[in-house]
Amino acid sequence: MSWRSASSLAWLRGLSGIREKEPLASRTSFGIGGPADFFLELGRIEGIEKVLDGCRERAIPYFLLGAGTNLLIADAGIEGLVVRVVTREYHVEGTRLRADAGLKMMRLARIAADAGLRGFEFGIGVPGTVGGAVYQNAGCWGKELREVLVEACGFVPGAGRQRWSPADLRLGYRTSALREGALKGALVVEATIQLQRGDGEEAKSLMAKLTRERNETQPIKTKNCGSVFKNPAGDSAGRLVQAAGLKGMREGAAVVSAMHGNFIVNEGGATAADVARLIERARVEVRRRFNIDLEPEVEQVGRWP
Ligand code: EPU
């Protein structure tokens, strides 16, 4: 049965701040994607929880959006309600940092350094929010969130607030129980990380050095979604794409970056279909040449043909 009953539509339209047929492309780092049927941006966690419970009661599909990185939204958009989580508070508690899900990882890395805490410098290379980072155990320079995460607080529609240990979250390489397991559809409310006391200035100069390196090796100033593929065990997706001669391969305005083979750049006006075709062509070619199956890291969401 469709979720579009008259009473559900009336409920959605009655939500304060709701927008209909809201374009999402500009809310993603790729600059790609069709509209949300309904869209809501919320900065108070209680408000988000109420809306998610309401969706569950009415069987309205919902999608939780953070900074829109690592995401390929279909050209036909997203069914139901898209909630953009913009909660941004944080607390420094000794050597622990507790951060709201909507806070950007890069901001949290600077907050840690300002507080004289070490061990989170890798956060400066992670696009996206804290919530998104828990969702996919984000990482950079060989480090992952699970190395510092002590606990996350979440919300399961219909079941309320929960505390999740790293074991509950089943954090794996770019995945978790939120992305592919028992906690699918749950909301990350906040995360707590454990760091070490140290020299904040040293942390800042290390982050500056890492950012310079990233600038030289990744097309970070372009419209992209971050790494397109996961790295296969013991190898690099970027290296494989390059070795297969696929750099510069194009579909419409989507092109495999000449700088880094694991990036697809939207040169302006690329469609989700262009990107999906490019991903498929790269997979087919890498499989044919090296017998390796590249698994996408980017998450395809919405109404695909
Ligand atoms: N390489 C090539 N050609 C390329 C790209 C890379 O030969 O076009 C080689 C490099 O020379 C290097 C190796 O492949 O020897 C690995 O490349 P790189 O150091 O750039 O790292 P990566 O494995 O491609 C990973 C993360 C990135 C993260 C960097 C930071 C994954 C899928 N990617 O990339 O994460 O920024 O390490 O070192 O784990 C992201 O997740 O969105 C992301 C960008």
Side-chain angles (χ1 to χ4, degrees), residues 69-70 122 125-127 136-144 173-174 210 213-214 217-218 220 224-232 235-243 247 256-263 295 297-298:
T69 58
N70 199 42
F122 73 91
V126 178
Q136 59 163 332
N137 182 31
C140 202
W141 298 297
K143 297 210 175 292
E144 297 175 333
Y173 173 52
R174 298 295 189 269
L210 291 170
E213 277 172 23
R214 199 161 149 256
T217 55
Q218 298 179 4
I220 58 177
N224 68 76
C225 64
S227 293
V228 173
F229 299 108
K230 295 182 184 180
N231 281 336
D235 209 335
S236 153
R239 189 197 72 75
L240 288 163
V241 169
Q242 176 172 352
K247 280 186 167 179
V256 176
S257 168
M259 194 181 221
H260 196 299
N262 202 13
F263 281 72
E295 193 188 329
E297 171 175 325
V298 59

Side-chain angles (χ1 to χ4, degrees), residues 69 77 84 140 147 177 194 270:
T69 58
R84 183 153 182 260
C140 202
E147 293 167 46
Q194 173 73 61

Side-chain angles (χ1 to χ4, degrees), residues 105-248:
M105 286 285 278
M106 291 182 182
R107 172 104 212 287
L108 192 60
R110 291 195 190 96
I111 290 166
D114 283 340
L117 296 174
R118 302 291 310 263
F120 195 58
E121 292 84 353
F122 73 91
I124 203 72
V126 178
T129 61
V130 168
V134 175
Y135 178 81
Q136 59 163 332
N137 182 31
C140 202
W141 298 297
K143 297 210 175 292
E144 297 175 333
L145 186 68
R146 69 172 150 189
E147 293 167 46
V148 292
L149 187 75
V150 281
E151 186 181 72
C153 174
F155 177 79
V156 177
R161 285 266 176 114
Q162 297 185 352
R163 295 201 164 277
W164 301 319
S165 68
D168 296 331
L169 288 163
R170 308 184 78 81
L171 302 169
Y173 173 52
R174 298 295 189 269
T175 192
S176 75
L178 292 155
R179 185 168 180 172
E180 306 180 277
L183 296 176
K184 245 180 162 176
L187 168 78
V188 177
V189 172
E190 61 178 32
T192 303
I193 57 174
Q194 173 73 61
L195 306 175
Q196 295 89 46
R197 182 126 347 259
D199 186 335
E201 291 311 310
E202 274 178 26
K204 282 180 202 168
S205 53
L206 175 58
M207 291 195 298
K209 177 177 161 280
L210 291 170
T211 301
R212 274 196 304 277
E213 277 172 23
R214 199 161 149 256
N215 256 309
E216 283 159 17
T217 55
Q218 298 179 4
I220 58 177
K221 299 226 164 70
T222 65
K223 287 192 161 75
N224 68 76
C225 64
S227 293
V228 173
F229 299 108
K230 295 182 184 180
N231 281 336
D235 209 335
S236 153
R239 189 197 72 75
L240 288 163
V241 169
Q242 176 172 352
L246 303 177
K247 280 186 167 179

